[in-house]
C-alpha cells in the first residue's frame, strides 16, 4: 500500500496520544503526518476534526487518515458521511487488517479511552502494511456509496 501522507485528527480525549502518534509515524514510517487538530485538552467537538480529516482523505492522492476520540465511534460516524470515505473503528490489529483487505478502508478510528498507545502503534503498523485484496471485495466496496 502506497501512502503519501496521513491526516490525523482528534478531539480532547485523543489529543495527547495524537501528538505521540504523529512523531512515531514521521520518524519510523517516514510519512508526512498532518495534524488537523485539536490542539489542546480543552473540551471540543469531535465532528470538527473528523470532517477536516475526511475532507482531505476524500481528495485522494494516496492519502489516509487516523481519527481518535474517546470511543472512536463519533469520529467514525462523522467521517463516513463523506463520499469516498471508508472509515472503520479499530481496537485490534486483526480488525485493521480486515478493514484494509476487505473494505479498502482509508481512515482508521481509534478509541483513546479503551486502548493503549502501544496497541495503537500495532494497529497503525498493520493498517499501513496491508493492501486491499480487490477481487470479490471490490464488488462489495462499489456498493457502499449511496
Amino acid at each position: 500500500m502506497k501512502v503519501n501522507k496521513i491526516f490525523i485528527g482528534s478531539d480532547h480525549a485523543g489529543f495527547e496520544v495524537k501528538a505521540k502518534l504523529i512523531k512515531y509515524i514521521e520518524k519510523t514510517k517516514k510519512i508526512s503526518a498532518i495534524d488537523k487538530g485539536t490542539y489542546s485538552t480543552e473540551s471540543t467537538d469531535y465532528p470538527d476534526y473528523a470532517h477536516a480529516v475526511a475532507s482531505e482523505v476524500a481528495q485522494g492522492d494516496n492519502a489516509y487518515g487516523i481519527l481518535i476520540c474517546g470511543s472512536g465511534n463519533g469520529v467514525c460516524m462523522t467521517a463516513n458521511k463523506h463520499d469516498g470515505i471508508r472509515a472503520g473503528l479499530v481496537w485490534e490489529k486483526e480488525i485493521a487488517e480486515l478493514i484494509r483487505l476487505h473494505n479498502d478502508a482509508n481512515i482508521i478510528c481509534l478509541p483513546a479511552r479503551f486502548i493503549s498507545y502501544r496497541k495503537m502503534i500495532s494497529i497503525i503498523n498493520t493498517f499501513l502494511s496491508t493492501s486491499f485484496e480487490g477481487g470479490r471485495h471490490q464488488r462489495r466496496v462499489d456498493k457502499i456509496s449511496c
Side-chain angles (χ1 to χ4, degrees):
M1 170 167 127
K2 182 173 170 25
V3 179
N4 287 340
K5 53 190 145 192
I6 295 176
F7 294 93
I8 184 167
S10 71
D11 68 358
H12 52 281
F15 169 73
E16 290 179 0
V17 74
K18 176 177 56 98
K20 290 169 49 175
L21 291 173
I22 288 169
K23 288 179 186 173
Y24 172 81
I25 290 164
E26 290 187 336
K27 182 179 179 183
T28 64
K29 299 297 180 187
K30 308 291 188 227
I31 299 169
S32 177
I34 299 138
D35 189 347
K36 300 302 283 184
T38 192
Y39 304 106
S40 77
T41 57
E42 184 177 325
S43 182
T44 189
D45 300 333
Y46 62 82
D48 296 340
Y49 311 102
H51 286 307
V53 169
S55 293
E56 295 284 359
V57 174
Q59 292 179 29
D61 195 28
N62 293 319
Y64 291 83
I66 299 170
L67 288 167
I68 311 160
C69 72
S71 71
N73 280 297
V75 291
C76 193
M77 288 181 213
T78 304
N80 278 315
K81 300 293 183 194
H82 291 254
D83 286 339
I85 295 300
R86 291 169 306 282
L89 175 60
V90 180
W91 60 94
E92 295 289 347
K93 70 179 187 171
E94 292 82 5
I95 296 169
E97 181 179 31
L98 285 173
I99 67 170
R100 282 294 308 132
L101 283 171
H102 295 175
N103 310 118
D104 198 17
N106 49 16
I107 296 178
I108 55 171
C109 302
L110 303 170
R113 293 187 176 133
F114 296 93
I115 61 174
S116 68
Y117 169 75
R118 185 177 174 153
K119 187 170 259 194
M120 288 182 189
I121 292 297
S122 174
I123 287 167
I124 290 167
N125 288 340
T126 300
F127 183 79
L128 294 175
S129 65
T130 305
S131 295
F132 180 50
E133 231 174 47
R136 71 185 189 278
H137 302 293
Q138 183 63 60
R139 182 181 73 245
R140 296 166 185 158
V141 168
D142 291 342
K143 294 180 178 183
I144 291 173
S145 293
C146 293

